[in-house]
Amino acid sequence: MEELFAKNNHEIEGTLKALAQSDNKRNREKFYSTFLKTKFFVPPGQSQKEIQVLRNSKEEMAMTLFTTPEALRLWRPEKPEYSLLGADELIVLALKLKVDVILINVATADCRGFITRAEIEILAHRLTKINGLEISHDAGQEQEISLRIEIPPDNLTPRLIDFLRLSLAYQKNAISAYLFQGSYDDGDPHLVLGIEANGNEADVARWLKALSFPVNQHLGPGEYMDFMVIDPATAEKIQDVVGPIWRKQI
């Protein structure tokens, strides 16, 4: 049975690869719809009745999913055990455990991705419509979100910085860019690329969204990066912690 699901999971792998090439509305919708009908291989927690979550020092959590047992073993070869769970079960668990991000195939190079907390809640809404599930969460409530800015880890690879700088050089509206470790309220700390831009900010936002999946190939296992357009005031606050990794030459 597991072999059958692993074979069928080529479809979700295809959507991840498509997003890596072009993160557009059509590819993302295809990813969402395919995700919701997929069963994933999930590493167990303390017992086979639990699932494993990653916790950092601040007790913030990420859930790891895999499309095949082989993809799981690339990440944890010493622990080949797994549970096979559907997306509906995983979304409910992610909300219950207050997971901040779902990581998919964290150790593979060509079909990996992630789902943010906001996307988890979007998918939960879709599940309630599809399956009539009763899911309790606080999606849609208005609240002010604060961003914590910290120095990025010192183990960033030169190829990641080179990739970002080369990409920025081709974005005509970009003024400067800052790479830092950020967290939103009680969310997990992760890499953030903040872009200060002039002109059409919406164009920059679309470009950043399209960049979010190609950058994965330059990140280590379990890592992910967020992208944001920043204003001059935010840029000044960031400069109190880190300098720009790129600035437009005038």
Side-chain angles (χ1 to χ4, degrees), residues 125-142:
H125 278 300
R126 296 192 181 189
L127 280 173
T128 60
K129 294 179 180 180
I130 295 171
N131 298 331
L133 299 174
E134 293 185 4
I135 300 176
S136 175
H137 57 84
D138 55 3
Q141 293 183 359
E142 294 294 332

Side-chain angles (χ1 to χ4, degrees), residues 148-199:
R148 180 182 302 167
I149 300 165
E150 299 175 342
I151 296 173
D154 56 9
N155 61 347
L156 299 179
T157 61
R159 65 175 186 168
L160 170 62
I161 306 301
D162 292 343
F163 172 77
L164 293 174
R165 286 172 174 164
L166 181 62
S167 301
L168 287 157
Y170 284 95
Q171 176 48 244
K172 62 180 181 180
N173 292 328
I175 300 173
S176 61
Y178 303 84
L179 185 62
F180 57 93
Q181 185 97 321
S183 59
Y184 300 93
D185 287 339
D186 60 349
D188 60 320
H190 57 281
L191 286 176
V192 180
L193 182 69
I195 306 292
E196 186 182 6
N198 57 20

